[in-house]
Every structure is written in structure tokens, then in C-alpha cells.
Amino acid sequence: MSKNRKKGVALILLAVSQLILALDYTIVFVAVPSIGADLGFSANHLQWVISAYSLVFGGFLLIGGRLSDLLGRRRIFMIAIALFGVGSLLGGLANSQIMMITARGLQGLGGALLSPSTLSLIMSNFGEGAERNRAMGIWASMGGVGLSLGLLLGGGLTSFLGWEFTFFVNVPICLISLILAPLVLLENKTTSGPKRYDALGTISVTVGMILIVYYLIQSPVEGWLHIETLPFGLVGGILLILFVIIEKRTKEPLIPFRLFRNRNLIGAAIIAALFSASFGTLYYFLSLYTQEILHYSAIQSGLSFLPLTISAFIGGRLINKVLLNAGLAGTVAIGMVLGGIGFLVLTQLSEKGSALGIIPGTVIIGFGQALVFTTTFIAGSTGINSKEQGVASAIVSTGQQIGSAVGLAAIIAIISYNFKSNLQLEKMNPGELNSAIHMSFIAASVITFLGVFITYSTLSRKMQ
């Protein structure tokens, strides 16, 4: 295989890996009711089909990034793909609630190792400059496309083949990736000699992150100050403070604190959180609109996201041109503004509307989503030593995970406050639910415009 062809296959492999991570975030959304009915989940426990993945993914991201830097990105990539594939297979075969939640946890662990290793592999497989920027643009745009494609694919698979295939679809992809990885991916050059691990730091940050993510997931259900949730948040916070103390004293820190002097990295992590808190909540609330108000089937609901998928794909193809002309900060700002406008357009949706009414807003959001998602990861890798790309990527991804949990919880809290009720959204009448969804879009729009301010406060104006 020629060098150029090998690089082409490597890019496809890494892009598809990023695609399945994004797909897995949304692909089960429309399948959840069918999973709940077949496996006997109660209303309170059904959320763990989604939350088990988020909990493990968010908790293990930082150690995943560090392991990819220490043990080799290709090696961790292959371990991650194997875990993700096994989790997907178990999910499709699940015949009990425990088996399903375990499968989702395995997928989350695989994702936590896979996410930072894929970006690091781009850094070690593609030369600095135009070649690497093109590769990063394609890789990151697959994440943006995958978020919207997940609902479309999930609806089709659930309707025609069954919810099991929202898991099975990952298995052949993982098998092919395992075969191709050692053939086309170059391993990064890790430092020779003994590799030291910050065991105390690893334990404190991993357990702390798991407890914090659990608190953020469960508090909107039980209450922010409830005895069944608050202790998890407090202990998690204490462990993260302990982690900072440990990191300042150890010779081989899990996260070198000098990374936090990089304004692009810190900005990228904050923007990733704001992106997930706004763009990321769209899929939940728009799925409620199509299924609970318009009474669409799973496949109809999935198809309603097709314009968003197409616009996100086109936006991803334009990313390099926009970056060249607008720079890092300008590209993210344009994407955030487009998202904000798109959310405001969606506030015109009516309880007697149709899928046609969704198209203008989602098309605008799709373009914005591609610009923000892609550029955020490019910004997060700017000025970072190649030996620390894994942990830098994990920091940005952690911001994304935290933002997703906080954003959804905050928006639901705003809705509950305005309606003076903790009633589940699914149990509202169509008129109230439509008003609640409008509130969510207004809140998301406000978050995107906050993102513009953060963008110009932190990110470089030009590509470096």
C-alpha cells in the first residue's frame, strides 16, 4: 500500500471512529422507549440506558487521555475499539436491565479511551500544516455529523430491524477497525525508560469525576439538595480538590498544570461545555417535539433530522475555508451566532406544525454546529506538545461531557421554575410541552451568545 493511500485509509479509520462516538450519544434516543418496554425498565430507571454511558465516559476521560500519551495512541485506540465493540455486542444481546446498563458502561469506557487517542493519532500520522488541518477538519466534522445522523439512523434501525441493531451496527465497524489499525496507523514515539503513573491522582480524579457526573445526572430527578444526591456531589468535589493538591506535589502529574496556561486549551474546554449545553440539548427537546407533540414514529422522527445532518456535513466541508478567512475565534463565533439564530427560529414551532417547520432552524443550526464542534478541537490542540495531545483532547472532551449534563439540567430547572411544577416533560399536555420546548430553545440561544463572548476572550484570532 502506497504512503498516500495508507494515510487516506488511516484518516477514514479515525474519522469513522469519531463518527461512532458521536452516533452513540444520540442513536439510542429514539430507541429508549422500545428498550424500556422490552426489558421492563421503570420510568425512573430508564434514564440509565443513556446515563450509564455518560457516567463512565465522563469519569474515565482524563485517565484515557493520559494512558494514550504514556502507552501509545495506537495501542490504546485498539483496546478502546475492542471495549466499545464488546459493549455494543452485549447491548444488542441484552435480555435484562443489568446486562443493558453494563453494556452501556462498557461502551462508555471504550469511548473514554477512544476519544483522546483518535485526535492524538491525527497529530502523529499527519504532518503539521495544511495536511494536518485538513485531517483534523474531517475528523472533527464527523463528530458534528454523527450527532444528528444518530437520530436518523436510530429511528430507521428501531423501526425496521429493532432497537438491538442500534448496538449491533457498531460491531462490524469495530472489527474492521481492529484489523486495519496496525496496518495503517503509525504508533507515536513514546518516551523510553520506565513510565511512572500518578496512582493517587488517577484514583482521586476518576472517582471524583464519576461522582460529580452522577450528581449532575441524578439531581434534576431527585433534587439538587436531596440526601440521595448531595453527598455524591460533595464527596466528588472534595476528591477533585484533593486531586489538585496531589498534582501540585507529584513529579509525574496526570495532568501537567502548565497546560492550563494555554488560553486556547482553556477556551476550547469552556466552549465545548457551552456547545454541549446548547447545541447538545437540541436533540432531546426536538425529539420530544416530534414524538410527543407531532406524534411521529421513530423513523419519522429520525427523518426529521435529515436536513440538520446534511447541513452539518456541508458545514464540515467548508471548515478550512472559514478558518483561513476568519481564524479560530472568528470561526467559532460565526458558528455560535448561527446556532443562536437557529434556536430563535425554532421558537416559532407550533403544536399543530409539521416537519417542514423544523427545517429552517435546524439547517442554520447544522452549519453552526459543524463550525463550532470542529474548531473547538482544533483550538484545543493548538500550542500543545505532541506528547500531551491525548490529555489535552481529554480536557476538551471532559468540558463537553460536563456541559451536556449541566446544560440539560439547568434548562429543565428553568422550565420547572416557570411552570411551578416538577412534572416530567413527557407527561405535559401538548400546549404546555410546546411552550416548555420554546423555553429550552431560548435558553440554548442565550448560551450560544455567551459562547461568542468567551470565544473572543480566550481563543486566538488567527490560526497558528
Side-chain angles (χ1 to χ4, degrees), residues 348-428:
Q348 303 306 305
L349 292 179
S350 164
E351 61 184 282
K352 296 181 180 180
S354 68
L356 291 176
I358 297 172
I359 293 175
T362 55
V363 166
I364 297 170
I365 290 172
F367 280 112
Q369 174 181 284
L371 296 180
V372 178
F373 188 93
T374 304
T375 310
T376 297
F377 281 94
I378 293 175
S381 67
T382 301
I384 302 295
N385 188 296
S386 61
K387 296 177 181 179
E388 296 169 337
Q389 286 290 341
V391 73
S393 172
I395 290 171
V396 177
S397 295
T398 299
Q400 212 173 14
Q401 290 294 308
I402 296 297
S404 177
V406 172
L408 186 59
I411 291 174
I412 290 176
I414 291 170
I415 292 171
S416 297
Y417 176 80
N418 278 275
F419 280 90
K420 309 298 182 184
S421 170
N422 289 321
L423 184 68
Q424 289 184 349
L425 296 178
E426 292 85 350
K427 295 181 179 179
M428 287 182 169

Side-chain angles (χ1 to χ4, degrees), residues 50-368:
I50 294 172
S51 299
Y53 178 84
S54 300
L55 182 66
V56 179
F57 192 110
F60 284 88
L61 262 172
L62 293 175
I63 183 59
R66 188 58 174 154
L67 286 175
S68 73
D69 289 336
L70 289 175
L71 299 181
R73 283 77 183 259
R74 187 177 68 187
R75 181 184 301 172
I76 295 299
F77 174 88
M78 293 178 68
I79 292 171
I81 282 289
L83 285 170
F84 199 87
V86 170
S88 298
L89 181 61
L90 288 176
L93 295 174
N95 56 13
S96 69
Q97 296 177 28
I98 293 295
M99 189 172 176
M100 172 57 69
I101 293 173
T102 301
R104 291 292 284 163
L106 269 178
Q107 284 185 310
L109 180 58
L113 299 178
L114 185 61
S115 180
S117 65
T118 52
L119 179 58
S120 303
L121 282 165
I122 286 179
M123 306 304 292
S124 58
N125 280 262
F126 298 91
E128 188 174 359
E131 181 184 67
R132 184 179 294 171
N133 289 340
R134 175 178 172 273
M136 289 185 69
I138 293 172
W139 170 84
S141 65
M142 286 300 99
V145 170
L147 289 172
S148 49
L149 183 60
L151 287 167
L152 175 61
L153 188 59
L157 291 173
T158 301
S159 295
F160 295 115
L161 297 175
W163 62 262
E164 296 88 349
F165 283 84
T166 62
F167 295 93
F168 287 149
V169 69
N170 294 322
V171 177
I173 297 174
C174 291
L175 285 174
I176 293 170
S177 298
L178 278 175
I179 294 169
L180 290 177
L183 301 177
V184 300
L185 295 179
L186 298 175
E187 182 60 281
N188 63 301
K189 296 180 180 179
T190 54
T191 54
S192 58
K195 299 177 179 63
R196 298 180 178 86
Y197 298 90
D198 176 16
L200 287 177
T202 298
I203 293 170
S204 61
V205 75
T206 302
V207 176
M209 284 298 299
I210 287 174
L211 293 177
I212 289 292
V213 174
Y214 176 84
Y215 174 71
L216 293 173
I217 290 171
Q218 202 66 14
S219 288
V221 179
E222 302 291 345
W224 294 96
L225 300 177
H226 197 278
I227 188 64
E228 293 184 9
T229 57
L230 184 58
F232 291 96
L234 292 175
V235 174
I238 291 170
L239 285 173
L240 293 183
I241 293 172
L242 179 62
F243 169 70
V244 173
I245 296 171
I246 293 170
E247 295 299 279
K248 287 184 175 181
R249 296 183 178 183
T250 185
K251 294 181 179 179
E252 298 289 339
L254 183 68
I255 302 177
F257 271 36
R258 65 179 178 278
L259 292 178
F260 293 104
R261 293 197 291 268
N262 184 311
R263 287 170 61 87
N264 282 319
L265 176 59
I266 296 306
I270 297 172
I271 292 163
L274 296 175
F275 170 84
S276 289
S278 53
F279 289 83
T281 60
L282 170 70
Y283 303 97
Y284 174 70
F285 288 105
L286 206 53
S287 293
L288 279 177
Y289 178 74
T290 57
Q291 293 187 3
E292 301 295 331
I293 295 179
L294 301 184
H295 302 294
Y296 283 0
S297 65
I299 183 61
Q300 288 175 317
S301 181
L303 284 171
S304 67
F305 285 86
L306 182 59
L308 174 60
T309 305
I310 294 171
S311 64
F313 179 77
I314 295 172
R317 297 294 297 267
L318 298 174
I319 186 67
N320 283 327
K321 290 183 180 179
V322 181
L323 277 170
L324 185 63
N325 290 288
L328 288 172
T331 302
V332 172
I334 291 170
M336 285 290 190
V337 169
L338 285 173
I341 293 171
F343 281 115
L344 291 178
V345 170
L346 287 177
T347 61
Q348 303 306 305
L349 292 179
S350 164
E351 61 184 282
K352 296 181 180 180
S354 68
L356 291 176
I358 297 172
I359 293 175
T362 55
V363 166
I364 297 170
I365 290 172
F367 280 112

